[in-house]
Amino acid sequence: MAKGYWMSAYREIKDPDKLAAYAAIAAEAVKAHGGRFLARGGRMEPKEFAVDARTVLVEFESFERAKETYASQTYQQALKVLDGGVVRDFRIVEGVE
């Protein structure tokens, strides 16, 4: 079964406090569903059409698990806390293996 990934690129951070509160709750949801952070705001070098933005990559055991985590009560709570604090590109992606 192919793994699933959350990919986020933060285009703009409007409210760092909201982002910090969101990150704490989102991390709980990720861990509770067996997710693993592969990248979380470290160094990055934009290429081609990319912009220099905070990037987060989370791995799950499956695409379905990644979707379930997004729909979970805990993660939905995290989104409520975030409430317009960022502009980001968030995707759930299926891996090739």
Side-chain angles (χ1 to χ4, degrees):
M1 178 182 327
K3 292 186 178 185
Y5 298 89
W6 284 3
M7 297 173 58
S8 301
Y10 288 75
R11 307 279 183 203
E12 180 181 358
I13 297 173
K14 296 179 176 185
D15 188 330
D17 293 332
K18 284 185 176 183
L19 177 57
Y22 156 84
I25 299 169
E28 288 179 32
V30 167
K31 290 175 186 173
H33 290 88
R36 183 170 71 110
F37 287 94
L38 300 179
R40 196 172 190 190
R43 297 183 332 168
M44 68 92 66
E45 185 174 324
K47 298 292 186 188
E48 299 180 24
F49 294 105
V51 296
D52 188 2
R54 174 182 170 83
T55 303
V56 178
L57 179 62
V58 181
E59 179 182 68
F60 293 91
E61 67 184 32
S62 69
F63 182 68
E64 290 305 318
R65 179 63 72 157
K67 292 188 337 181
E68 289 168 7
T69 305
Y70 186 88
S72 73
Q73 183 177 4
T74 304
Y75 190 71
Q76 291 303 305
Q77 172 73 29
L79 289 176
K80 286 179 185 174
V81 167
L82 187 58
D83 186 36
V86 301
V87 176
R88 68 181 180 166
D89 177 350
F90 183 99
R91 302 166 189 224
I92 300 175
V93 180
E94 184 175 37
V96 295
E97 294 182 14

